[in-house]
Amino acid sequence: MSAKSTIVIPNYNGIKYIEQCLESVYGGTVTDFDVIVVDNASTDGSLALIEEKFPKVRLIKNSKNTGFSVAVNQGIEASTTPYVILLNNDTRVEKTFVRELERVLDEDKDKKIFSASAKLISLYDREKTDDAGDYYCALGWAFARGKGKNPDLYTKDCAIFAACAGGAIYRRELLAPDKVGSFDREHFAYLEDMDLGWRARIFGYQNSFAANAVVYHAGSATSGSRYNAFKVRLAAGNSVYIIYKNMPLFQLLVNLPFLAAGFCVKTLFFARKGLGKEYAEGLLKGVRLSLSAEGKRHKQKFSIGRLGNYIKIQLELWMNLVRLLMG
């Protein structure tokens, strides 16, 4: 039987985690799959470790750090299986991880599910959920469902706004340029998975949460911490760009009061953390990217035939705001 899935793992200086990550992948109940590691010019010896200890892994070696989106796109383009599973290098997976992700897409006979997100649990505190699927709300904020809560609260598959690419499965055929498309290279890192999931929703597809596909995630292994200048600049810019890309004018006008409030609160939040300058620089960069030729090329063109999808998305943005406020 041929493999259903290719697991794509981007790696940048992940020597602390990559060995245990790959050992857990190969120790699962499903053994028929391909693994591609895309290395972004690591200098810590992790590339040599993979070559020595995991000869079955197919390696793509970049001469510079291309960022998350470009790296995973390389892995996707090199794959030939019906499904592609993305996995962060700072993770360990349960034995049924691959089987449970594949099951969600296998059971979707109409092929309307674009992606399915695993349940990410903190590697260092197994009593805390890291991500049970991603939401996006009218404030212009992306947030992880269940963050910090007990994983036992999230035991059922359900619909989500977007899958967290730290551990998720995608239908490879829908990642083609003439379909939903792949990850936007302008998102060097952060919100690239939200952008892709949002785009799939515009096209009329759904994203799901696979409750029994469990991943233990260290978090911030590449950027170094939850809040730092590098991450704040990138995330701020992408938070502007993602709105420009995916909201037509009428939807932008509807959400403008919410978005203004959301960006004001974030500005104050990062100013109090001493990162206000970096956040403002990121916002400005996002505006410039949106107005650039490259940014305009990636904007989703509005189609009246997809008006119903936009309305569904908008209702969900308001519903997710309620979810956020209710905690």
Side-chain angles (χ1 to χ4, degrees):
M1 184 178 68
S2 59
K4 284 184 184 179
S5 299
T6 298
I7 301 175
V8 176
I9 304 173
N11 180 63
Y12 175 67
N13 289 341
I15 197 165
K16 182 179 178 181
Y17 301 101
I18 192 65
E19 182 174 2
Q20 290 180 318
C21 173
L22 288 169
E23 285 176 347
S24 70
V25 165
Y26 282 115
T29 56
V30 174
T31 58
D32 192 11
F33 52 80
D34 300 324
V35 178
I36 298 174
V37 172
V38 185
D39 185 78
N40 271 336
S42 294
T43 58
D44 64 345
S46 54
L47 183 58
L49 183 150
I50 296 167
E51 290 179 313
E52 177 186 350
K53 296 192 174 183
F54 301 95
K56 292 201 300 184
V57 169
R58 180 177 173 185
L59 276 167
I60 296 175
K61 305 174 185 178
N62 290 326
S63 59
K64 64 178 182 179
N65 186 357
T66 65
F68 180 89
S69 294
V70 170
V72 296
N73 282 349
Q74 288 176 287
I76 291 167
E77 290 166 8
S79 67
T80 57
T81 52
Y83 305 149
V84 175
I85 294 173
L86 302 187
L87 186 66
N88 279 6
N89 64 351
D90 61 338
T91 59
R92 300 173 199 169
V93 303
E94 286 282 10
K95 290 183 180 295
T96 58
F97 167 73
V98 174
R99 186 187 72 195
E100 288 298 325
L101 286 179
E102 291 180 344
R103 177 188 60 78
V104 174
L105 296 193
D106 285 345
E107 292 178 355
D108 174 34
K109 302 306 180 184
D110 296 328
K111 295 187 176 182
K112 297 302 292 182
I113 295 178
F114 171 71
S115 70
S117 188
K119 176 161 67 177
L120 275 65
I121 298 172
S122 172
L123 179 63
Y124 300 116
D125 187 347
R126 302 295 175 91
E127 298 300 313
K128 289 185 178 180
T129 301
D130 188 50
D131 193 304
D134 287 344
Y135 285 147
Y136 189 84
C137 73
L139 294 173
W141 297 358
F143 60 100
R145 173 174 173 257
K147 184 78 171 181
K149 296 184 178 181
N150 193 303
D152 293 340
L153 296 173
Y154 307 95
T155 58
K156 294 183 179 180
D157 296 357
C158 64
I160 53 176
F161 192 85
C164 171
I169 191 168
Y170 299 83
R171 293 191 190 277
R172 188 176 61 86
E173 62 180 337
L174 296 180
L175 295 167
D178 60 337
K179 299 291 181 62
V180 175
S182 56
F183 290 87
D184 184 346
R185 63 182 297 128
E186 299 303 323
H187 287 274
F188 182 88
Y190 308 117
L191 294 179
E192 70 291 320
D193 47 5
M194 180 62 68
D195 169 62
L196 183 59
W198 190 342
R199 207 184 321 148
R201 301 296 303 277
I202 292 172
F203 277 74
Y205 295 100
Q206 300 298 315
N207 301 297
S208 185
F209 169 61
N212 294 318
V214 177
V215 177
Y216 301 104
H217 182 219
S220 301
T222 299
S223 63
S225 62
R226 186 174 181 184
Y227 300 118
N228 57 68
F230 171 79
K231 184 174 181 178
V232 168
R233 285 193 190 96
L234 276 177
N238 289 343
S239 68
V240 173
Y241 181 48
I242 195 174
I243 293 167
Y244 165 77
K245 282 186 61 181
N246 296 303
M247 280 192 185
L249 181 59
F250 79 88
Q251 191 176 23
L252 181 60
L253 293 174
V254 166
N255 288 288
L256 199 56
F258 298 98
L259 295 172
F263 280 104
C264 282
V265 170
K266 287 271 185 161
T267 300
L268 293 173
F269 174 82
F270 286 111
R272 292 184 65 179
K273 288 190 171 292
L275 293 165
K277 178 175 177 287
E278 289 79 4
Y279 183 70
E281 289 172 349
L283 293 180
L284 183 57
K285 183 179 179 181
V287 171
R288 287 173 177 164
L289 174 58
S290 300
L291 296 177
S292 70
E294 191 66 19
K296 290 177 180 178
R297 187 173 72 84
H298 284 100
K299 183 171 176 61
Q300 292 301 302
K301 292 180 173 59
F302 174 74
S303 168
I304 192 66
R306 294 179 181 146
L307 180 60
N309 297 336
Y310 282 105
I311 292 172
K312 289 178 184 177
I313 290 169
Q314 183 56 49
L315 292 174
E316 194 164 344
L317 298 187
W318 285 329
M319 185 186 303
N320 290 340
L321 175 56
V322 174
R323 286 187 171 114
L324 178 67
L325 295 176
M326 291 180 66

